Amino acid sequence: MIDVLSGLFVDHTLRTVALGSATLGIVSGALGAFAVLRRQALLGDAMSHAALPGVALAFLLTGSRAPLVLMLGAAIAGWLAAAAIVGVVRTSRVKVDSAMALTLSVFFGAGLVVLTFIQRQPAAGKAGLDKFLFGQAAAMLESDVITMVAVGAVGLFGLLALWKEFKLLSFDPDFAATLGMPTRRVDILLTSLLVIAIVVGLKTVGVVLMSAMVVAPGAAARQWTNRLGVMVTLSACFGAAAGVLGALLSTTAETSTGPTIVLVATGLVVVSLLFAPARGLVWVRMRAWRSRRMLALEAVIADLASLAAQHGSNATHPHDIGALNAVRGRAVVERALTELAADGLARQHDTGGWSLTPRGLAEADRLARSRRAPGVAR
Amino acid sequence: MTSAQIDVLLVAVVVAAACAIPGTFLVLRRMAMMSDAISHTVLLGIVLAFFVVADLGSPILIVGAALVGLLTVVLVEATSRTGLVREDTAIGLVFPALFSIAVILISSLAGDVHLDSDAVLLGEIAFAPFNRFAPFGVDLGPVAIWVMGAILLINLACTALFFKELKLATFDPALAAALGFSPALVHYGLMALVSITAVGAFDAVGSILVVALMVGPPAAAYLLTDHLPRMLGLSVLIGATSAAGGYWLARLLDANIAGAMATAVGIAFTLVLLLAPRRGLVAAARRRRRQRWTFARQMLLIHLATHEGTPTESDESHPDHMQRHMRWPADFSARVIQTATDRGLVVLEAEQLRLTPHGREAAKEAAVR
C-alpha cells in the first residue's frame, strides 16, 4: 500500500487512475445524493444499463473512440431510457418497476445487438468497448480524465446553479408547484444531471455496476446528517474515497475495477449504517438496551419499596428473590439487584434475602414522585 | 432449418414460457426490479457452489444459486427494515455488492474454469445445442431443454397448486393474512421460483434476457386483460412469440441472439402498448377524439333546446353564432353542424338551425346526464 501511495506521486498511470476515479466519485456522489432522496436509485440502474446501446451506436456511427463522443452517446441513450420509462408509466397502467425492468433489459439487449455489429468490423479501434461492461481503470487515459473532469464540472455547476429549485423539488414538489415553479422542467433537468453522473463513470466502473456508485455514497452520507448541503458534500467525499481506494486496490490486486470500487463503497455504507451518530444501528441498539436496563432497575426498586411498605416499621426487612422475579424473569432481576447493590441502593442479607438500603428507599420515593404526573391530586 | 436451429428455438420458447409464469406475479406485485437483482446475484450462488463441488455441470449449482437469490431478498428486506434507507435504495445497494463479489471471485479463478462474467450477463444460447443430454449414449436433445423444461414444469406445478394463495396474496395481502395464508411464505416461495428460473435460464440466455422475458411479456399481457389465468396464458404466448421472433431477427442481422430476443420483447411490448384493443394508445386517442365530437354535438343540441321558443331564438340558432358562443373554430363548428345534420338531429332552414323531434329527445337526454 505504501508503494502504491508513493507511486501515486511518481507513476503517471497511477496518478491518472486516481484522479479519474476521484472525479467519478465526486460527481456521482454529489448528483447521486438526489437520486437517493428522490427514490430514483433503480432509475439509475436502468439508465446505466441503457447507456450500452448509446456507447455502441456512437462508436459504430462515428468510428471514434473519443471519450466525449461515447459519453454523449451514453447520455442520449440513458436519457431516452428515462423518457421511455416515464412515458410508459404516464400513458398506460404498467407500473414504474415493470417499466424500468423492461426498458433496462430491452435497451441492454439492443446494445448487445449493436456490439455484435462492431465485433464484425475490422479489428482497428474496436478494442476496449467490452470494457464498458465492467469497467477498467487501468485503461484510463489522460484524455479520458480531462473529459470526465469537464463533463463532471458541467454537472456540478448545474447542481449549484439550480440548488434551491432542486432542493425544493426533492423535498416538497407540491409546494414547489404552488410557488409557480415549472416542476416538470426542473424534474427533467435533475434527471438529466443523473445521466451525467452515470456517463462520467461508465468507462471506469462499467454499465452494470455504475448504478451502485450513484446510490451507495448518497445512502452512506444520508446517515450522518439531516442537512442537504452537508449530505451532498459528504456523499461527494465518500464517492471520491471509494473511487480512489477501489481503483488503487484493483490495480494492485489485479481485480476488475468496477466491482472493487463498488465493494469499497458498499463497505462505507455498512459502516455508516452501523456507526453513524444518532441514526447508526449500533447506537440505536445500545440506547434501547440501556433504557431497557434502566426500566428493569426502576421496576425492581419499586417492587422492593412496595414490599418494604407492607412491612411497615421494618423497612429494610429482607425479601426472597422469588417474590420479585414473577414477571420479569430471574436473570433480569438478579442482574438488576447486583447493579443496585454496587450503587449502594440495595443489599443482600445473610439469609440470602434482599432489601433496599435507606438510600435506596429515598431513591424509590424520588422515582415514585417523578413518575406521578405533576398537578394530579392524591 | 437445421436441427441445431430447431433446438435453439425450442430452448428459447421453453425459457420464455418458464420466465413468464413467475414474471406475471412479479409484475402484479410491483416487484419487477427484483428480477433484475436476482438475475445478477445468482451468479454469486453459482460461484460459491462451484467452490464446493468443483463441477460446472452439477445440479448443486442451481441449489446454491437459488439460495443466494433468496439471500438477496432477505438482505434487501433486512436493509430496508432498518428504516435507514428506502427499499429502492436497498435493492440498489445489495445486488451490485453481491454481484461484485461474484465477479471478483470469478476473476480470481482466472481462466481455470469456463465461467465468465461476460457470458453470464450476455448468455450464449447459440451453444445450447452442442451441450447434449445423452444418458447411456442415447441422444435426447440439448441439456438446456431438459433443465428448462423441468423448471417450467416446477413453475407450472407450483402455480397450479398454490394458485388461490398466490392470487389472494397478490391482490389482497391483508385479506390473505387475515384468512391465515402467510403472505411472507407466498412471497419467499415466489422468490424461490424466480431464483430457480433465473439460474436455469442464465446459462442459456444470460441474465439480462431473463429480466426481459420475466417482465416484458407479463407487462404486455397486463395491458390486454384483467383476468389472471388469461394474463398468465398471454404472457407465455407473448414470451414465446418474442423469443421466436428474436431468434429470427438475430439470424437476419447475424447478431447476438439473447440481445435480439430482448429487443423483440421490447418491440412486442411497444406494439401492445400502441395497439391493445381497450388500453392501447391508439384506442385511447380514438376514444378521446370520438368523445370530443360527441360532446360538441351535445353542446350544440343543448344550446338549441335552451333557446327554442325564446325571443332571441333567431339570433341564437344562426349557424355562425355557434363559433362565437362556443368559441369553436369555424371549420370545427361547420363539421359539428354537419354531423348533427347527417344524424337527423338538426335541420337547417333559412339560416336557422332547428331541432328535429329526434334531436330534442337527444338534447333532453344529454342535459339530464
Side-chain angles (χ1 to χ4, degrees), chain A residues 267-279:
Chain A
L268 285 176
V269 175
V270 172
V271 169
S272 303
L273 288 180
L274 290 179
F275 299 111
R279 282 166 69 101

Side-chain angles (χ1 to χ4, degrees), chain B residues 93-126:
Chain B
L93 286 171
V94 167
F95 90 83
L98 295 183
F99 189 68
S100 297
I101 297 175
V103 173
I104 289 178
L105 284 179
I106 289 178
S107 62
S108 77
L109 292 171
D112 295 345
V113 268
H114 170 72
L115 186 61
D116 181 348
S117 36
D118 290 20
V120 170
L121 219 51
L122 317 182
E124 219 9 298
I125 197 172

Side-chain angles (χ1 to χ4, degrees), chain B residues 141-283:
Chain B
V143 175
I145 285 191
W146 288 92
V147 173
M148 284 318 292
I151 290 172
L152 173 61
L153 279 183
I154 293 173
N155 285 348
L156 274 176
C158 289
T159 312
L161 225 58
F162 301 109
F163 188 72
K164 185 177 57 192
E165 287 81 357
L166 271 169
K167 189 172 171 180
L168 195 58
T170 298
F171 291 106
D172 196 344
L175 179 62
L179 291 179
F181 301 116
S182 161
L185 207 63
V186 174
H187 175 65
Y188 281 107
L190 178 62
M191 287 303 155
L193 287 189
V194 171
S195 305
I196 294 172
T197 312
V199 64
F202 102 117
D203 188 31
V205 297
S207 58
I208 290 299
L209 183 53
V210 172
V211 178
L213 287 175
M214 273 197 187
V215 179
Y222 187 48
L223 294 175
L224 292 171
T225 177
D226 288 334
H227 189 230
L228 182 56
R230 221 167 286 153
M231 182 172 163
L232 279 165
L234 277 172
S235 298
V236 172
L237 193 70
I238 295 171
T241 316
S242 309
Y247 182 54
W248 174 79
L249 189 71
R251 283 193 38 202
L252 195 74
L253 301 172
D254 188 18
N256 177 292
I257 296 175
M261 284 181 182
T263 310
V265 170
I267 294 171
F269 177 80
T270 311
L271 284 178
V272 171
L273 179 66
L274 289 176
L275 303 177
R278 262 185 323 127
R279 296 204 172 79
L281 296 189
V282 173

Side-chain angles (χ1 to χ4, degrees), chain A residues 13-360:
Chain A
T13 323
L14 220 50
R15 203 169 51 210
T16 312
V17 168
L19 258 178
S21 320
T23 311
L24 129 81
I26 289 172
V27 175
S28 63
L31 298 174
F34 280 90
V36 170
L37 288 175
R38 299 196 328 132
R39 311 185 185 205
Q40 290 184 330
L42 295 176
L43 183 66
D45 183 40
M47 289 199 290
S48 65
H49 276 82
L52 184 65
V55 174
L57 267 180
F59 174 73
L60 196 66
L61 293 180
T62 65
S64 155
R65 269 202 302 151
L68 191 61
V69 172
L70 300 187
M71 273 191 201
L72 196 65
I76 292 173
W79 202 86
L80 282 178
I85 292 167
V86 174
V88 166
V89 171
R90 211 168 269 165
T91 58
S92 77
R93 66 169 180 167
V94 171
K95 305 296 181 296
V96 66
D97 62 309
S98 302
M100 284 196 292
L102 181 65
T103 310
L104 171 160
S105 54
V106 170
F107 270 65
F108 194 84
L112 293 185
V113 171
V114 183
L115 273 185
T116 42
F117 290 135
I118 293 174
Q119 270 152 14
R120 239 179 290 136
Q121 287 198 330
K126 79 180 179 190
L129 277 187
D130 54 332
K131 294 292 180 269
F132 274 95
L133 285 181
F134 292 113
Q136 196 181 46
M140 214 176 332
L141 304 173
E142 220 173 73
S143 62
D144 289 318
V145 176
I146 292 170
T147 318
M148 284 165 74
V149 170
V151 173
V154 171
L156 292 182
F157 178 76
L159 185 65
L160 287 180
L162 290 174
W163 178 265
K164 196 177 56 188
E165 283 79 3
F166 290 157
K167 184 178 183 177
L168 194 53
L169 182 75
S170 304
F171 289 103
D172 201 339
D174 295 335
F175 181 53
T178 60
L179 288 183
M181 199 168 98
T183 44
R184 187 119 166 237
R185 244 174 293 161
V186 176
D187 191 346
I188 292 174
L189 264 175
L190 189 48
T191 309
S192 310
L193 288 188
L194 185 58
V195 174
I196 289 187
I198 287 167
V199 300
V200 162
L202 279 187
K203 190 166 180 189
T204 321
V205 180
V207 295
V208 181
L209 291 168
M210 194 48 215
S211 66
M213 275 314 285
V214 174
V215 179
R222 174 67 191 90
Q223 311 309 321
W224 299 82
T225 176
N226 286 327
R227 298 193 57 85
L228 182 65
V230 181
M231 178 182 162
V232 171
T233 315
L234 259 183
S235 182
C237 295
F238 285 153
V244 174
L245 258 178
L248 294 183
L249 268 178
S250 80
T251 346
T252 42
E254 289 177 6
T255 50
S256 313
T257 313
T260 316
I261 293 182
V262 168
L263 283 183
V264 174
T266 310
L268 285 176
V269 175
V270 172
V271 169
S272 303
L273 288 180
L274 290 179
F275 299 111
R279 282 166 69 101
L281 287 181
V282 169
W283 312 132
V284 171
R285 283 283 151 79
M286 262 175 73
R287 273 199 297 276
W289 180 75
R290 205 177 296 149
S291 67
R292 208 174 317 143
R293 207 192 60 183
M294 286 310 295
L295 280 175
L297 283 186
E298 289 181 12
V300 170
I301 289 183
D303 284 359
L304 277 171
S306 70
L307 284 173
Q310 287 165 22
H311 274 268
S313 58
N314 185 9
T316 52
H317 177 82
H319 299 280
D320 187 65
I321 200 167
L324 294 170
N325 63 9
V327 180
R328 262 163 248 285
R330 196 177 179 100
V332 175
V333 173
E334 269 174 9
R335 201 167 52 226
L337 282 173
T338 321
E339 277 183 47
L340 287 175
D343 291 345
L345 297 176
R347 74 186 184 92
Q348 188 166 27
H349 294 251
D350 302 334
T351 52
W354 285 81
S355 76
L356 290 173
T357 61
R359 257 184 67 213

Side-chain angles (χ1 to χ4, degrees), chain B residues 281-344:
Chain B
L281 296 189
V282 173
R286 282 178 62 179
R287 198 162 48 232
R288 258 198 306 280
R289 236 175 70 103
R290 208 169 44 236
Q291 278 167 351
R292 187 160 157 251
W293 287 111
T294 313
F295 180 71
R297 210 161 43 234
Q298 284 172 351
M299 290 303 290
L300 173 69
L301 297 180
I302 291 172
H303 175 78
L304 291 176
T306 314
H307 295 287
E308 208 168 34
T310 61
T312 52
E313 188 185 357
S314 61
D315 281 345
E316 296 285 350
S317 58
H318 192 275
D320 291 347
H321 176 76
M322 300 308 151
Q323 296 174 39
R324 257 172 294 127
H325 190 90
M326 310 278 191
R327 293 169 190 245
W328 286 341
D331 52 338
F332 183 81
S333 172
R335 262 195 80 181
V336 172
I337 293 170
Q338 186 60 49
T339 56
T341 318
D342 291 349
R343 283 162 196 249

